[in-house]
Coordinates of all heavy atoms in Angstrom, one line a residue:
M138 N 96.6 -93.7 188.5 CA 96.4 -95.1 188.8 C 95.0 -95.3 189.2 O 94.5 -94.7 190.1 CB 97.4 -95.5 189.9 CG 97.2 -96.9 190.3 SD 98.2 -97.4 191.8 CE 99.9 -97.1 191.2
K139 N 94.4 -96.3 188.6 CA 93.0 -96.7 189.0 C 93.0 -97.4 190.3 O 93.9 -98.2 190.6 CB 92.4 -97.7 187.9 CG 91.9 -97.0 186.7 CD 91.1 -97.9 185.9 CE 89.7 -97.5 185.9 NZ 88.8 -98.1 185.0
T140 N 92.0 -97.2 191.1 CA 91.8 -97.9 192.4 C 91.4 -99.4 192.1 O 90.5 -99.6 191.4 CB 90.8 -97.2 193.2 OG1 91.3 -95.9 193.5 CG2 90.6 -97.9 194.6
T141 N 92.1 -100.3 192.7 CA 91.8 -101.7 192.7 C 91.8 -102.2 194.2 O 92.3 -101.5 195.1 CB 92.7 -102.5 191.8 OG1 94.1 -102.3 192.3 CG2 92.6 -102.2 190.4
F142 N 91.4 -103.4 194.4 CA 91.3 -103.9 195.8 C 91.9 -105.3 195.9 O 91.9 -106.1 194.9 CB 89.8 -104.0 196.2 CG 89.2 -102.6 196.1 CD1 88.6 -102.1 195.0 CD2 89.2 -101.8 197.3 CE1 88.0 -100.9 194.9 CE2 88.6 -100.5 197.2 CZ 88.0 -100.1 196.1
Y143 N 92.4 -105.7 197.0 CA 93.1 -106.9 197.3 C 92.7 -107.4 198.7 O 92.3 -106.6 199.5 CB 94.6 -106.7 197.3 CG 95.2 -106.4 196.0 CD1 95.2 -105.1 195.5 CD2 95.8 -107.3 195.2 CE1 95.8 -104.7 194.3 CE2 96.4 -107.0 194.0 CZ 96.4 -105.7 193.5 OH 96.9 -105.4 192.3
F144 N 92.9 -108.7 199.0 CA 92.9 -109.2 200.3 C 94.0 -110.2 200.5 O 94.3 -110.9 199.5 CB 91.5 -109.7 200.8 CG 91.0 -110.9 200.0 CD1 91.3 -112.2 200.3 CD2 90.1 -110.6 199.0 CE1 90.8 -113.2 199.6 CE2 89.5 -111.7 198.2 CZ 89.9 -113.0 198.5
Y145 N 94.6 -110.3 201.7 CA 95.6 -111.2 202.0 C 95.1 -112.3 202.9 O 94.5 -112.1 203.9 CB 96.8 -110.5 202.6 CG 98.0 -111.4 202.9 CD1 98.9 -111.8 201.9 CD2 98.2 -111.9 204.2 CE1 99.9 -112.7 202.2 CE2 99.3 -112.8 204.5 CZ 100.1 -113.1 203.4 OH 101.2 -114.0 203.7
V146 N 95.4 -113.6 202.5 CA 95.1 -114.7 203.4 C 96.4 -115.3 203.9 O 97.2 -115.7 203.1 CB 94.3 -115.8 202.6 CG1 93.9 -117.0 203.4 CG2 93.0 -115.2 202.0
N147 N 96.5 -115.4 205.2 CA 97.7 -115.9 205.9 C 97.5 -117.4 206.1 O 96.5 -117.8 206.7 CB 97.9 -115.2 207.2 CG 99.2 -115.6 207.9 OD1 99.2 -116.7 208.4 ND2 100.1 -114.7 208.0
F148 N 98.4 -118.2 205.7 CA 98.4 -119.7 206.0 C 99.6 -120.0 206.8 O 100.7 -119.4 206.6 CB 98.4 -120.5 204.7 CG 97.1 -120.5 204.0 CD1 97.0 -119.9 202.8 CD2 96.0 -121.1 204.5 CE1 95.8 -119.8 202.1 CE2 94.8 -121.1 203.8 CZ 94.7 -120.5 202.6
P149 N 99.5 -120.9 207.8 CA 98.3 -121.7 208.1 C 97.5 -121.0 209.2 O 96.5 -121.6 209.7 CB 99.0 -123.0 208.7 CG 100.2 -122.5 209.3 CD 100.7 -121.3 208.5
R150 N 97.7 -119.8 209.5 CA 97.0 -119.1 210.6 C 95.8 -118.3 210.1 O 95.4 -117.3 210.8 CB 98.0 -118.2 211.3 CG 99.2 -118.9 211.9 CD 100.3 -118.1 212.5 NE 99.7 -117.0 213.3 CZ 100.3 -115.9 213.6 NH1 101.5 -115.7 213.1 NH2 99.8 -114.9 214.3
F151 N 95.2 -118.7 209.1 CA 94.0 -117.9 208.5 C 92.9 -117.8 209.5 O 92.2 -116.8 209.5 CB 93.5 -118.5 207.2 CG 93.0 -119.9 207.4 CD1 91.6 -120.1 207.7 CD2 93.7 -121.0 207.2 CE1 91.1 -121.3 207.8 CE2 93.2 -122.3 207.3 CZ 91.9 -122.4 207.6
S152 N 92.7 -118.7 210.4 CA 91.6 -118.6 211.4 C 91.9 -117.7 212.5 O 91.1 -117.3 213.3 CB 91.2 -120.0 211.8 OG 92.2 -120.6 212.5
E153 N 93.2 -117.4 212.7 CA 93.7 -116.5 213.8 C 93.8 -115.1 213.4 O 93.8 -114.2 214.3 CB 95.0 -117.0 214.3 CG 95.1 -118.4 214.9 CD 96.5 -118.9 215.1 OE1 97.4 -118.0 215.3 OE2 96.7 -120.1 215.1
K154 N 93.9 -114.8 212.2 CA 94.1 -113.4 211.7 C 92.9 -113.0 210.9 O 92.5 -113.7 210.0 CB 95.4 -113.3 210.9 CG 96.6 -113.6 211.7 CD 97.8 -113.1 210.9 CE 99.0 -113.1 211.8 NZ 99.8 -112.0 211.6
K155 N 92.5 -111.8 211.1 CA 91.4 -111.2 210.4 C 91.9 -110.9 208.9 O 93.0 -110.4 208.7 CB 91.0 -109.9 211.0 CG 89.7 -109.3 210.6 CD 89.3 -108.1 211.5 CE 87.9 -107.8 211.4 NZ 87.5 -106.7 212.2
I156 N 91.0 -111.3 208.0 CA 91.3 -111.0 206.6 C 90.7 -109.7 206.2 O 89.5 -109.5 206.3 CB 90.8 -112.1 205.7 CG1 91.4 -113.5 206.0 CG2 91.1 -111.8 204.2 CD1 90.8 -114.7 205.3
L157 N 91.6 -108.8 205.8 CA 91.1 -107.4 205.5 C 91.2 -107.1 204.0 O 92.1 -107.5 203.3 CB 92.0 -106.4 206.2 CG 92.1 -106.5 207.7 CD1 93.0 -105.5 208.3 CD2 90.7 -106.3 208.3
I158 N 90.2 -106.4 203.5 CA 90.3 -105.9 202.1 C 91.0 -104.6 202.1 O 90.8 -103.7 203.0 CB 88.8 -105.7 201.5 CG1 88.1 -107.1 201.5 CG2 88.9 -105.1 200.2 CD1 86.7 -107.0 201.1
H159 N 92.0 -104.4 201.1 CA 92.8 -103.2 201.0 C 92.6 -102.6 199.7 O 92.4 -103.2 198.7 CB 94.3 -103.6 201.1 CG 94.7 -104.3 202.4 ND1 95.2 -103.7 203.5 CD2 94.7 -105.6 202.7 CE1 95.4 -104.5 204.4 NE2 95.1 -105.7 204.0
R160 N 92.9 -101.3 199.6 CA 93.0 -100.5 198.4 C 94.4 -100.8 197.9 O 95.3 -101.0 198.6 CB 92.9 -99.0 198.5 CG 91.5 -98.6 198.8 CD 91.4 -97.0 198.8 NE 90.2 -96.6 199.4 CZ 89.1 -96.4 198.7 NH1 89.1 -96.6 197.4 NH2 88.0 -96.0 199.3
N161 N 94.6 -100.7 196.6 CA 95.9 -100.9 196.0 C 96.9 -99.8 196.5 O 98.1 -100.0 196.5 CB 95.9 -100.9 194.5 CG 95.3 -99.6 193.9 OD1 94.3 -99.0 194.4 ND2 96.0 -99.1 192.8
T162 N 96.4 -98.7 196.9 CA 97.3 -97.6 197.4 C 97.7 -97.8 198.9 O 98.5 -97.0 199.4 CB 96.6 -96.2 197.2 OG1 95.4 -96.3 197.9 CG2 96.4 -95.9 195.7
C163 N 97.2 -98.7 199.5 CA 97.5 -99.0 200.9 C 99.0 -99.3 201.1 O 99.6 -100.1 200.3 CB 96.6 -100.1 201.4 SG 96.9 -100.7 203.1
L164 N 99.6 -98.9 202.2 CA 101.0 -99.2 202.5 C 101.2 -100.6 202.8 O 102.3 -101.1 202.6 CB 101.5 -98.3 203.6 CG 101.5 -96.8 203.3 CD1 102.0 -96.0 204.5 CD2 102.4 -96.5 202.1
R165 N 100.2 -101.3 203.2 CA 100.3 -102.8 203.4 C 100.2 -103.6 202.1 O 100.8 -104.6 202.0 CB 99.3 -103.3 204.4 CG 99.6 -102.8 205.8 CD 98.5 -103.3 206.8 NE 99.0 -103.0 208.1 CZ 98.7 -103.8 209.1 NH1 98.0 -104.9 209.0 NH2 99.1 -103.4 210.3
C166 N 99.4 -103.1 201.2 CA 99.1 -103.8 200.0 C 100.1 -103.5 198.9 O 100.6 -104.4 198.2 CB 97.7 -103.4 199.5 SG 97.2 -104.1 197.9
K167 N 100.5 -102.2 198.8 CA 101.5 -101.8 197.8 C 101.2 -102.3 196.4 O 102.0 -102.9 195.7 CB 102.9 -102.2 198.2 CG 103.3 -101.6 199.5 CD 104.7 -102.0 199.9 CE 105.1 -101.4 201.2 NZ 106.4 -101.8 201.6
N168 N 99.9 -102.0 196.0 CA 99.5 -102.4 194.6 C 99.7 -103.9 194.3 O 100.1 -104.3 193.2 CB 100.1 -101.5 193.6 CG 99.3 -101.5 192.3 OD1 98.1 -101.4 192.4 ND2 100.0 -101.5 191.2
G169 N 99.4 -104.7 195.3 CA 99.5 -106.1 195.1 C 100.9 -106.8 195.5 O 101.0 -108.0 195.4
A170 N 101.8 -106.0 195.8 CA 103.2 -106.5 196.1 C 103.2 -106.9 197.6 O 104.1 -107.7 197.9 CB 104.2 -105.4 195.9
G171 N 102.4 -106.4 198.4 CA 102.4 -106.8 199.8 C 103.5 -106.2 200.6 O 104.4 -105.5 200.1
L172 N 103.6 -106.5 201.9 CA 104.6 -105.9 202.8 C 106.0 -106.4 202.4 O 107.0 -105.6 202.6 CB 104.3 -106.3 204.2 CG 103.2 -105.6 204.9 CD1 102.9 -106.2 206.3 CD2 103.4 -104.1 205.0
R173 N 106.2 -107.6 201.9 CA 107.5 -108.1 201.7 C 107.9 -108.1 200.2 O 108.8 -108.8 199.8 CB 107.5 -109.5 202.2 CG 107.5 -109.5 203.7 CD 107.5 -110.9 204.3 NE 107.4 -110.9 205.8 CZ 106.4 -110.6 206.5 NH1 105.3 -110.2 206.0 NH2 106.5 -110.6 207.8
G174 N 107.1 -107.4 199.4 CA 107.4 -107.2 198.0 C 107.0 -108.3 197.0 O 107.4 -108.3 195.9
G175 N 106.3 -109.3 197.5 CA 105.8 -110.3 196.6 C 104.3 -110.6 196.9 O 103.9 -110.6 198.1
S176 N 103.5 -110.9 195.9 CA 102.1 -111.1 196.2 C 101.8 -112.4 196.9 O 100.7 -112.5 197.6 CB 101.3 -111.0 194.9 OG 101.7 -112.0 194.0
S177 N 102.6 -113.4 196.8 CA 102.4 -114.7 197.5 C 103.7 -115.2 198.0 O 104.8 -114.9 197.5 CB 101.8 -115.7 196.5 OG 100.5 -115.2 196.1
N178 N 103.6 -116.0 199.1 CA 104.7 -116.7 199.6 C 104.3 -118.0 200.3 O 103.1 -118.3 200.2 CB 105.5 -115.8 200.6 CG 104.7 -115.3 201.7 OD1 103.9 -116.0 202.3 ND2 104.8 -114.0 202.1
E179 N 105.2 -118.6 201.0 CA 104.8 -119.9 201.6 C 103.9 -119.7 202.8 O 103.3 -120.6 203.3 CB 106.1 -120.6 202.1 CG 106.9 -119.9 203.2 CD 107.8 -118.8 202.8 OE1 108.0 -118.6 201.6 OE2 108.3 -118.1 203.7
K180 N 103.7 -118.5 203.2 CA 102.8 -118.2 204.4 C 101.4 -117.6 204.0 O 100.6 -117.3 204.9 CB 103.5 -117.2 205.4 CG 104.7 -117.9 206.0 CD 105.3 -117.0 207.0 CE 106.5 -117.6 207.6 NZ 107.1 -116.9 208.7
G181 N 101.2 -117.5 202.7 CA 99.9 -117.0 202.3 C 99.9 -116.4 200.9 O 100.8 -116.6 200.2
F182 N 98.8 -115.7 200.6 CA 98.7 -115.1 199.2 C 97.8 -113.9 199.3 O 96.9 -113.7 200.1 CB 98.1 -116.1 198.2 CG 96.6 -116.5 198.5 CD1 95.6 -115.8 197.9 CD2 96.3 -117.6 199.3 CE1 94.3 -116.1 198.2 CE2 95.0 -117.9 199.6 CZ 94.0 -117.2 199.0
L183 N 98.1 -113.0 198.4 CA 97.4 -111.8 198.2 C 96.5 -111.9 197.0 O 97.0 -112.2 195.9 CB 98.3 -110.6 198.0 CG 97.8 -109.2 198.1 CD1 97.3 -108.9 199.5 CD2 98.9 -108.2 197.8
A184 N 95.2 -111.9 197.2 CA 94.2 -112.1 196.1 C 93.8 -110.8 195.5 O 93.6 -109.8 196.2 CB 93.0 -112.8 196.6
G185 N 93.8 -110.8 194.2 CA 93.4 -109.6 193.5 C 94.3 -109.4 192.3 O 95.2 -110.2 192.0
P186 N 94.2 -108.3 191.5 CA 93.4 -107.1 191.8 C 91.9 -107.3 191.4 O 91.6 -108.0 190.5 CB 94.0 -106.1 191.0 CG 94.5 -106.8 189.8 CD 95.0 -108.1 190.3
F187 N 91.0 -106.7 192.2 CA 89.6 -106.7 191.9 C 89.3 -105.2 191.5 O 89.7 -104.3 192.2 CB 88.8 -107.1 193.1 CG 89.1 -108.5 193.6 CD1 90.0 -108.7 194.6 CD2 88.4 -109.5 193.0 CE1 90.3 -110.0 195.0 CE2 88.7 -110.8 193.4 CZ 89.6 -111.1 194.4
K188 N 88.6 -105.1 190.4 CA 88.3 -103.7 189.9 C 87.3 -102.9 190.8 O 87.4 -101.7 190.8 CB 87.7 -103.8 188.5 CG 88.6 -104.2 187.5 CD 88.0 -104.3 186.1 CE 89.0 -104.7 185.1 NZ 88.4 -104.8 183.7
K189 N 86.5 -103.6 191.6 CA 85.5 -103.0 192.5 C 85.6 -103.6 193.8 O 85.9 -104.8 194.0 CB 84.1 -103.1 191.9 CG 83.9 -102.4 190.6 CD 82.5 -102.5 190.2 CE 82.3 -101.7 188.9 NZ 80.9 -101.8 188.4
Y190 N 85.3 -102.8 194.8 CA 85.3 -103.3 196.2 C 84.4 -104.5 196.3 O 84.7 -105.5 197.0 CB 84.9 -102.2 197.2 CG 84.7 -102.7 198.6 CD1 85.7 -102.8 199.5 CD2 83.4 -103.1 199.0 CE1 85.5 -103.3 200.7 CE2 83.2 -103.6 200.3 CZ 84.2 -103.7 201.1 OH 84.0 -104.2 202.4
D191 N 83.2 -104.4 195.8 CA 82.2 -105.4 195.8 C 82.7 -106.7 195.3 O 82.4 -107.8 195.8 CB 80.9 -105.1 195.1 CG 80.1 -103.9 195.8 OD1 80.4 -103.6 196.9 OD2 79.2 -103.4 195.1
H192 N 83.5 -106.7 194.3 CA 84.1 -107.9 193.7 C 85.0 -108.6 194.7 O 85.0 -109.8 194.8 CB 84.8 -107.6 192.4 CG 84.0 -107.1 191.3 ND1 84.5 -106.5 190.2 CD2 82.6 -107.0 191.2 CE1 83.5 -106.2 189.4 NE2 82.3 -106.4 190.0
A193 N 85.8 -107.8 195.4 CA 86.7 -108.3 196.4 C 85.9 -108.9 197.6 O 86.2 -110.0 198.0 CB 87.7 -107.3 196.9
A194 N 84.9 -108.2 198.0 CA 84.1 -108.7 199.1 C 83.4 -110.0 198.7 O 83.3 -110.9 199.6 CB 83.0 -107.6 199.5
I195 N 82.9 -110.1 197.5 CA 82.2 -111.4 197.1 C 83.2 -112.5 197.0 O 82.9 -113.6 197.5 CB 81.5 -111.2 195.7 CG1 80.3 -110.3 195.9 CG2 81.1 -112.5 195.1 CD1 79.7 -109.7 194.6
A196 N 84.4 -112.3 196.5 CA 85.4 -113.3 196.4 C 85.8 -113.8 197.8 O 86.0 -115.0 198.0 CB 86.6 -112.8 195.6
L197 N 86.0 -112.9 198.7 CA 86.4 -113.2 200.0 C 85.3 -114.0 200.7 O 85.5 -115.0 201.4 CB 86.7 -111.9 200.8 CG 87.1 -112.1 202.3 CD1 88.3 -113.1 202.4 CD2 87.5 -110.8 202.9
T198 N 84.0 -113.6 200.6 CA 82.9 -114.3 201.1 C 82.8 -115.8 200.6 O 82.7 -116.7 201.4 CB 81.6 -113.6 200.9 OG1 81.6 -112.3 201.4 CG2 80.4 -114.4 201.4
K199 N 83.0 -115.9 199.3 CA 83.0 -117.3 198.7 C 84.2 -118.1 199.2 O 84.1 -119.3 199.5 CB 83.1 -117.2 197.2 CG 81.8 -116.7 196.6 CD 81.9 -116.7 195.1 CE 80.5 -116.2 194.5 NZ 80.6 -116.2 193.0
L200 N 85.4 -117.5 199.4 CA 86.5 -118.2 199.9 C 86.3 -118.7 201.3 O 86.5 -119.9 201.6 CB 87.8 -117.4 199.8 CG 89.1 -118.0 200.3 CD1 89.5 -119.2 199.5 CD2 90.2 -116.9 200.4
I201 N 85.9 -117.8 202.2 CA 85.8 -118.2 203.6 C 84.7 -119.2 203.8 O 84.7 -119.9 204.8 CB 85.7 -117.0 204.6 CG1 84.5 -116.3 204.4 CG2 87.0 -116.2 204.5 CD1 84.2 -115.3 205.5
A202 N 83.7 -119.3 202.9 CA 82.6 -120.3 203.0 C 83.1 -121.7 202.9 O 82.5 -122.6 203.4 CB 81.6 -120.0 202.0
K203 N 84.3 -121.8 202.3 CA 84.9 -123.2 202.2 C 85.6 -123.6 203.4 O 86.0 -124.8 203.5 CB 85.9 -123.1 201.0 CG 85.2 -122.8 199.7 CD 86.2 -122.8 198.5 CE 85.5 -122.4 197.2 NZ 84.5 -123.3 196.8
F204 N 85.9 -122.8 204.4 CA 86.6 -123.1 205.6 C 85.7 -123.7 206.7 O 84.6 -123.1 206.8 CB 87.3 -121.9 206.2 CG 88.4 -121.3 205.3 CD1 88.6 -119.9 205.3 CD2 89.2 -122.0 204.5 CE1 89.6 -119.3 204.5 CE2 90.2 -121.5 203.7 CZ 90.4 -120.1 203.7
S205 N 86.1 -124.7 207.4 CA 85.3 -125.2 208.5 C 85.3 -124.3 209.7 O 84.3 -124.2 210.4 CB 85.7 -126.6 208.9 OG 87.1 -126.5 209.3
N206 N 86.3 -123.5 209.8 CA 86.4 -122.5 210.9 C 86.8 -121.2 210.3 O 87.9 -120.7 210.3 CB 87.5 -122.9 211.9 CG 87.6 -122.0 213.1 OD1 86.7 -121.3 213.4 ND2 88.7 -122.1 213.8
P207 N 85.8 -120.5 209.7 CA 86.0 -119.3 208.9 C 86.6 -118.2 209.8 O 86.2 -118.0 210.9 CB 84.7 -118.9 208.4 CG 83.7 -119.6 209.1 CD 84.3 -120.8 209.8
P208 N 87.6 -117.4 209.2 CA 88.2 -116.3 210.0 C 87.3 -115.1 209.9 O 86.3 -115.0 209.1 CB 89.5 -116.0 209.2 CG 89.1 -116.5 207.8 CD 88.2 -117.6 207.9
E209 N 87.6 -114.1 210.8 CA 86.9 -112.8 210.7 C 87.4 -112.1 209.5 O 88.5 -112.3 209.0 CB 87.2 -112.0 211.9 CG 86.6 -112.5 213.2 CD 86.9 -111.5 214.3 OE1 86.6 -110.3 214.2 OE2 87.4 -112.0 215.3
T210 N 86.5 -111.2 208.9 CA 86.9 -110.4 207.8 C 86.5 -109.0 208.1 O 85.8 -108.7 209.0 CB 86.2 -110.9 206.5 OG1 84.8 -110.7 206.7 CG2 86.5 -112.3 206.2
G211 N 87.1 -108.1 207.3 CA 86.8 -106.7 207.5 C 87.5 -105.8 206.4 O 88.0 -106.3 205.5
D212 N 87.5 -104.5 206.7 CA 88.2 -103.6 205.8 C 89.4 -103.0 206.5 O 89.4 -102.7 207.7 CB 87.3 -102.4 205.4 CG 86.1 -102.9 204.6 OD1 86.2 -104.0 203.9 OD2 85.1 -102.2 204.6
C213 N 90.5 -102.8 205.8 CA 91.6 -102.1 206.3 C 91.2 -100.6 206.5 O 90.2 -100.2 205.9 CB 92.8 -102.2 205.2 SG 94.2 -101.3 205.6
G214 N 92.0 -99.9 207.2 CA 91.7 -98.5 207.5 C 91.8 -97.7 206.2 O 91.4 -96.5 206.1
C215 N 92.4 -98.3 205.1 CA 92.6 -97.6 203.8 C 91.3 -97.5 203.0 O 91.2 -96.8 202.1 CB 93.7 -98.2 203.0 SG 93.3 -99.9 202.4
I216 N 90.3 -98.2 203.4 CA 89.0 -98.3 202.7 C 88.1 -97.1 203.1 O 88.0 -96.7 204.2 CB 88.2 -99.6 203.0 CG1 89.0 -100.8 202.5 CG2 86.9 -99.6 202.3 CD1 89.3 -100.9 201.0

């Protein structure tokens, strides 16, 4: 399996929770399925897959630039 990258944005609490970039092999990411077995739900969405870490980081940076109160970002321990 090729390594890909994802990040999860929680709504409406995106400004309260740090947005982390995950590898597809992460137990929280589960290759884009997420903790609850679906990539998106009424509480947020899992963005990706991104072929390279840098692509995920750029997409996340562009996304949070649109928020008036941007959340913290970082890397999951799987990175």
Side-chain angles (χ1 to χ4, degrees):
M138 176 186 299
K139 280 191 112 171
T140 300
T141 55
F142 300 89
Y143 294 81
F144 61 85
Y145 181 78
V146 179
N147 184 292
F148 285 112
R150 297 174 46 202
F151 64 86
S152 63
E153 299 171 21
K154 293 195 168 221
K155 195 173 198 178
I156 300 175
L157 302 176
I158 297 175
H159 302 266
R160 285 184 195 275
N161 60 317
T162 54
C163 176
L164 295 177
R165 290 180 170 213
C166 178
K167 296 182 182 174
N168 204 38
L172 287 173
R173 292 175 180 76
S176 61
S177 297
N178 61 40
E179 68 278 353
K180 294 185 180 185
F182 66 92
L183 195 60
F187 299 95
K188 291 181 180 180
K189 295 182 179 182
Y190 172 86
D191 292 346
H192 296 169
I195 290 167
L197 180 54
T198 300
K199 287 181 179 180
L200 177 66
I201 67 167
K203 297 180 183 300
F204 298 144
S205 59
N206 184 19
E209 290 185 54
T210 63
D212 296 335
C213 176
C215 67
I216 298 294

